[in-house]
Amino acid sequence: MKHLLNITRQTRENFIRLIETSTIEELNEVPAGFSNNIIWNLGHIMTSQQLLCYQLAGLNPIIDPAYILAYKKGTRPEGFVNAEEINNIKGLIRSTIDQLEKDLDNNLFVNYNAFTTSFGVELKSTNDAVQFFPVHDALHYGYALAIKKALNKTDKN
């Protein structure tokens, strides 16, 4: 499990580097052909981890419910995300994985409501969810890279 958590951490660190090399305007812009922006994708992977690990285990997510409302599956960017909020998300993207690792070590996750993801993958436990994160996080990191590339092409025209 630690190896999978470390893969997730590395993907998230790559994502943070993308955030730190982008302007606040780039992070918030939804280019033509896309339905979300770079910062939404980062907030989404944090929210998904909370829902798939904690909520499906019958536990309260450890992030503010406002993040869940803003970044859960099916949402879209609703407004401009300022620098303070971006920094909060960057901190949470790291701390939520650290807390998850502690909670796994402490056997906090006893029950789980099975769930089939939009990938068609059935999750039957929090451990299954942790195994799913590298795929999910990498997908959204890829979307964010595509958005950044689309924005750079737009700037050159």
Side-chain angles (χ1 to χ4, degrees), residues 36-63:
N36 52 50
N37 55 32
I38 295 171
I39 195 61
W40 183 92
N41 279 280
L42 186 63
H44 174 72
I45 63 174
M46 170 188 68
T47 295
S48 295
Q49 180 245 320
Q50 292 290 294
L51 295 174
L52 294 176
C53 286
Y54 291 86
Q55 186 169 304
L56 288 175
L59 303 170
N60 290 326
I62 59 175
I63 61 172

Side-chain angles (χ1 to χ4, degrees), residues 11-83:
T11 301
R12 291 177 179 204
E13 289 303 319
N14 295 342
F15 213 135
I16 288 170
R17 277 194 295 281
L18 175 64
I19 298 294
E20 291 174 345
T21 59
S22 301
T23 67
I24 195 166
E25 290 78 16
E26 288 174 324
L27 297 178
N28 280 280
E29 187 171 343
V30 179
F34 291 85
S35 60
N36 52 50
N37 55 32
I38 295 171
I39 195 61
W40 183 92
N41 279 280
L42 186 63
H44 174 72
I45 63 174
M46 170 188 68
T47 295
S48 295
Q49 180 245 320
Q50 292 290 294
L51 295 174
L52 294 176
C53 286
Y54 291 86
Q55 186 169 304
L56 288 175
L59 303 170
N60 290 326
I62 59 175
I63 61 172
D64 188 310
Y67 287 118
I68 294 170
L69 292 174
Y71 298 107
K72 69 183 178 181
K73 182 179 172 84
T75 63
R76 295 181 189 268
E78 293 293 325
F80 190 84
V81 179
N82 65 31

Side-chain angles (χ1 to χ4, degrees), residues 105-146:
D105 289 344
N106 290 324
N107 297 310
L108 184 66
F109 305 100
V110 178
N111 300 310
Y112 199 83
N113 296 306
F115 176 77
T116 301
T117 70
S118 58
F119 279 71
V121 175
E122 185 176 12
L123 307 177
K124 296 180 181 178
S125 68
T126 299
N127 285 349
D128 287 354
V130 171
Q131 292 176 49
F132 178 69
F133 291 140
V135 172
H136 181 262
D137 287 12
L139 172 74
H140 285 281
Y141 175 57
Y143 286 154
L145 289 172

